[in-house]
Amino acid sequence: MMTFSLFHRPGTVVFLDDDPDYLEMLAMVLPRHWHVKLFMRPLQCINYLQQEPPFWEADVWHQQQLIDNWRGGKPLIPQVLGYWSTHTERYALTRVCVFDYSMPGMDGLQALGELVDWPGARVLLTGQADEQVAVQAFNRGLIEQFIAKQSPDISRQLIEAVEHLLATPNARHAQTWRVTLGPEQNGLLRVPSTGRALADFAARHWIEHVVLGDPFGVLGMDAGGRVSWLQLETPDGLNALAELADVEGVSPSKIDDIRRGRQLVDLELRQALGRSSPPVLAKALPFGQERALVGALFPVESPMCPDPGNSYNSWLARQKRRHVQD
């Protein structure tokens, strides 16, 4: 199992509970960088989520188009930058929903049962008497997680559960982007220590990223819209990179640093972006206990990068303040 998501982005989190005071409390304590929707009425919440599958499908189709264009010879990095620039409503798609089980008229499981085509992750809040129902629902794959609502640290448990699900790879997105990876690249990313190291790096630097195999690396964007490229190389690939750097006129001392895995050079990034500026070198870092990958981070400055007004922070600031839907 791959511990590092090939494709990650923020999304909306939906809560359904018939207690308005509880929802108001959630509005205050949930992380401010989440986009949250709060519902009291099951039918209203179900209707909201049932509108989403066509938009999920359209988003998957757009991503598949990028892959098809790449197969036709179009570089991936500029395409992803264009996708990020023009599809800001991708953040509105709900990644996780949290439903209370005990509600009058329709319980949480019945409400979840109405979301036949909705592709997000599902969490059930339960009372003590409902735990066995939740266990059965979990074993049947109807929910990803359940949490006892009477827990003294319910807010912490809830936040941790949702954060985990937000970080869990989406199977369809992973399938879409895995085709850009070669067998060796795919195998390296599946090494547990390497995957964990990359996941930690991504969490520190970006809110959104995609792993590419051609060239090999991770394109990421932070919440303010700044884009950077984590170039990845295997130890065996360093000699070839050093030879290319020599052709580009990089100094002998820097070429030796590349061969030894101390620095990397942004030749593939320059080519993908059509740059004619001099090569840039950056310090290389090992990833994983086996040190089977080294990487270096390069800022991406290009007219193709998203406008700051289309960043996640800007999109979030344009949304309505948190309130309980009535």
Side-chain angles (χ1 to χ4, degrees), residues 281-326:
L281 285 87
K283 181 181 178 181
L285 305 169
F287 285 91
Q289 296 173 353
E290 297 79 4
R291 295 176 176 257
L293 281 177
V294 294
L297 190 66
F298 297 95
V300 178
E301 297 174 359
S302 167
M304 292 174 280
C305 286
D307 184 276
N310 287 337
S311 69
Y312 178 68
N313 280 348
S314 296
W315 179 86
L316 197 59
R318 293 194 294 269
Q319 307 310 304
K320 293 180 181 178
R321 65 178 296 273
R322 291 178 183 176
H323 68 284
V324 178
Q325 307 284 331
D326 52 21

Side-chain angles (χ1 to χ4, degrees), residues 68-320:
D68 293 343
N69 292 339
W70 165 71
R71 287 188 170 118
K74 196 171 182 180
L76 278 170
I77 291 177
Q79 290 195 82
V80 175
L81 294 177
Y83 167 75
W84 283 348
S85 294
T86 56
H87 291 80
T88 53
E89 287 309 302
R90 64 191 183 274
Y91 299 132
L93 294 174
T94 305
R95 296 278 314 281
V96 182
C97 70
V98 182
F99 283 15
D100 185 29
Y101 177 73
S102 298
M103 294 184 293
M106 177 183 290
D107 66 45
L109 269 184
Q110 290 173 324
L112 289 172
E114 296 293 320
L115 304 178
V116 178
D117 297 321
W118 181 73
R122 304 154 193 244
V123 178
L124 194 66
L125 296 178
T126 65
Q128 285 181 326
D130 311 319
E131 186 169 329
Q132 191 57 42
V133 173
V135 170
Q136 292 172 357
F138 177 81
N139 290 337
R140 291 165 56 197
L142 302 178
I143 57 175
E144 275 69 33
Q145 199 156 345
F146 62 91
I147 301 172
K149 197 174 182 181
Q150 70 275 10
S151 300
D153 57 349
I154 177 64
S155 296
R156 179 187 62 80
Q157 286 191 43
L158 192 53
I159 291 170
E160 289 180 354
V162 172
E163 289 280 18
H164 171 73
L165 291 171
L166 288 172
T168 300
N170 178 283
R172 289 191 69 185
H173 290 155
Q175 181 181 5
T176 298
W177 291 96
R178 185 173 287 114
V179 300
T180 74
L181 299 172
E184 182 187 16
Q185 295 168 339
N186 191 60
L188 288 168
L189 294 176
R190 288 183 177 275
V191 175
S193 66
T194 303
R196 287 192 297 270
L198 287 168
D200 289 344
F201 184 94
R204 292 196 307 271
H205 289 84
W206 308 308
I207 52 96
E208 185 164 14
H209 73 257
V210 59
V211 179
L212 307 178
D214 178 26
F216 188 30
V218 189
L219 191 67
M221 183 165 60
D222 69 16
R226 290 176 291 271
V227 179
S228 51
W229 167 250
L230 178 64
Q231 181 173 326
L232 296 174
E233 300 285 349
T234 65
D236 291 341
L238 293 173
N239 280 333
L241 183 63
E243 290 172 5
L244 289 174
D246 188 26
V247 172
E248 292 289 330
V250 175
S251 68
S253 63
K254 298 297 185 182
I255 290 172
D256 186 58
D257 283 343
I258 295 171
R259 292 188 193 279
R260 295 174 181 273
R262 292 195 288 250
Q263 291 194 84
L264 298 183
V265 61
D266 68 341
L267 299 179
E268 291 178 315
L269 177 63
R270 289 170 67 242
Q271 181 180 14
L273 295 176
R275 284 181 181 167
S276 57
S277 54
V280 174
L281 285 87
K283 181 181 178 181
L285 305 169
F287 285 91
Q289 296 173 353
E290 297 79 4
R291 295 176 176 257
L293 281 177
V294 294
L297 190 66
F298 297 95
V300 178
E301 297 174 359
S302 167
M304 292 174 280
C305 286
D307 184 276
N310 287 337
S311 69
Y312 178 68
N313 280 348
S314 296
W315 179 86
L316 197 59
R318 293 194 294 269
Q319 307 310 304
K320 293 180 181 178

